[in-house]
Amino acid sequence: MAEGNFSIVTEFILTGLTEKPALQLPLFFLFLGIYAVTVIGNLGMVILILFSPHLHSPMYFFLSNLSFVDLCQSSVIMPKMLEKFVMVKSVISYAECMAQFYLFDVFAVSECHMLAVMAYDRYVAICNPLLYNVTMSYKVCSWMVVGVYSVGLICATGETVCLLRLLFCKADDINHYFCDLLPLLEQSCSNTFINEILGLSFSSFNIIVPALTILSSYIFIIASILRIPSTEGRSKAFSTCSSHILAVAVFFGSLAFMYLQPSSVSSMDQGKVSSVFYTIVVPMLNPLIYSLRNKDVKVAFYKVVGRRQFMC
């Protein structure tokens, strides 16, 4: 890893979200609660969809995969973040840091494209309902999900391989609550130009392309909603769409703020705040936004609860 005057880095110290002692315990309980809600909400959605036959449709198939991605992404990041709130130093080994970055990258990229696939599914369902069963067949949906995870794996592998070639010989403090690309590049004493170009290119593709897909899908969806003759029907449809759009806007907006600018002009302290939205807040909100306001999910939940009570 290093030669000459370079010292080998075997571990990093995560500085966390804040170093103010008075905030450590309150933030620990706050984020512990958020993590608990995230795990229960997303794991519950996966189990509910898996064991509810009437939820075995393309929309819920994609939703279960989104919940799986959110659950995994949060579990990759949150335990180390919570550790920093209750310990003086949060130490992470070099190997663990690279693994955390790789897994985070896989799931973050996958979420971008999963949201785009879900928006396309809603577009077909609302704008071309007669062709929906043909267009969104089980085989097509399965290949879409395979494609989503493949893009995540390819991008994460490319960025991680380039990251592994760098030498880390500066201070071992990482100014973040997890091992992310930009704070890691700050600690490198190697030339990071290739990493920055690759990171910016992948970020542009994984943020702009899904965002445009979602935007165009919802433009057609809203145009179709406006043609609904019933005022009550329009209001219900707009209410559902607005919550989806808000969640997507928060997710992609915070990602763009963090990654679609050169590292030389980005502020890591502001970046940490932005990261909280796409790594912690959105994974918690997704099951609430996409599920609890959904009548089919509520019916399935009550059926499962009722079945358990009957068995008891």
Side-chain angles (χ1 to χ4, degrees):
M1 268 180 65
E3 296 179 1
N5 295 326
F6 297 148
S7 59
I8 298 174
V9 173
T10 58
E11 62 184 27
F12 296 102
I13 298 171
L14 298 170
T15 61
L17 196 59
T18 178
E19 296 187 42
K20 295 179 180 179
L23 295 176
Q24 299 299 316
L25 201 56
L27 286 176
F28 171 77
F29 287 112
L30 172 64
F31 285 104
L32 180 62
I34 290 174
Y35 184 49
V37 172
T38 303
V39 171
I40 293 168
N42 286 294
L43 185 60
M45 277 307 306
V46 172
I47 294 171
L48 189 64
I49 292 170
L50 184 64
F51 291 102
S52 300
H54 76 281
L55 295 182
H56 292 175
S57 65
M59 181 175 77
Y60 296 108
F61 175 63
F62 295 135
L63 180 57
S64 65
N65 278 278
L66 179 68
S67 294
F68 171 74
V69 167
D70 282 335
L71 176 64
C72 292
Q73 180 180 298
S74 294
S75 298
V76 165
I77 292 169
M78 290 291 283
K80 267 295 177 187
M81 182 186 190
L82 292 171
E83 179 188 277
K84 177 63 181 73
F85 290 131
V86 294
M87 297 186 69
V88 178
K89 288 198 304 184
S90 179
V91 178
I92 184 168
S93 70
Y94 175 84
E96 288 174 329
C97 187
M98 295 300 112
Q100 187 187 55
F101 170 73
Y102 177 77
L103 291 173
F104 161 72
D105 208 7
V106 169
F107 295 120
V109 171
S110 297
E111 176 147 5
C112 291
H113 295 280
M114 194 69 71
L115 289 169
V117 166
M118 290 174 68
Y120 176 73
D121 171 70
R122 290 300 81 207
Y123 157 74
V124 176
I126 293 171
C127 300
N128 295 291
L130 298 178
L131 298 175
Y132 183 71
N133 289 332
V134 176
T135 307
M136 304 303 292
S137 65
Y138 177 76
K139 184 177 181 181
V140 171
C141 293
S142 298
W143 277 113
M144 281 183 168
V145 170
V146 169
V148 164
Y149 289 124
S150 297
V151 173
L153 288 168
I154 291 168
C155 291
T157 301
E159 288 195 295
T160 305
V161 167
C162 286
L163 196 59
L164 289 171
R165 72 179 184 83
L166 298 180
L167 302 174
F168 295 94
C169 56
K170 296 181 181 178
D172 56 3
D173 288 356
I174 295 179
N175 186 21
H176 216 309
Y177 56 85
F178 73 101
C179 291
D180 199 6
L181 180 64
L182 297 181
L184 281 169
L185 294 183
E186 284 188 348
Q187 303 306 316
S188 175
C189 50
S190 303
N191 188 334
T192 61
F193 178 75
I194 292 176
N195 299 77
E196 290 183 29
I197 292 297
L198 187 67
L200 191 59
S201 301
F202 279 164
S203 297
S204 300
F205 171 75
N206 292 317
I207 294 173
I208 294 172
V209 172
L212 289 176
T213 302
I214 294 167
L215 180 62
S216 57
S217 296
Y218 273 103
I219 287 173
F220 285 111
I221 289 170
I222 290 169
S224 294
I225 291 171
L226 290 173
R227 291 196 292 269
I228 297 174
S230 164
T231 305
E232 185 181 347
R234 280 201 305 270
S235 313
K236 186 178 177 182
F238 271 123
S239 174
T240 304
C241 284
S242 62
S243 59
H244 293 183
I245 292 169
L246 178 61
V248 168
V250 170
F251 180 73
F252 282 100
S254 55
L255 274 175
F257 179 84
M258 184 69 184
Y259 297 108
L260 294 188
Q261 56 179 326
S263 59
S264 57
V265 299
S266 62
S267 166
M268 201 50 61
D269 290 329
Q270 291 178 339
K272 282 195 286 187
V273 175
S274 174
S275 299
V276 168
F277 287 98
Y278 64 82
T279 60
I280 297 170
V281 175
V282 171
M284 178 191 68
L285 291 179
N286 276 341
L288 304 177
I289 290 172
Y290 287 98
S291 317
L292 294 185
R293 299 182 63 181
N294 187 298
K295 184 180 178 181
D296 292 335
V297 173
K298 288 181 181 178
V299 169
F301 176 75
Y302 291 134
K303 279 185 177 180
V304 170
V305 171
R307 194 184 307 151
R308 286 183 60 86
Q309 289 177 343
F310 177 75
M311 290 174 66
C312 293

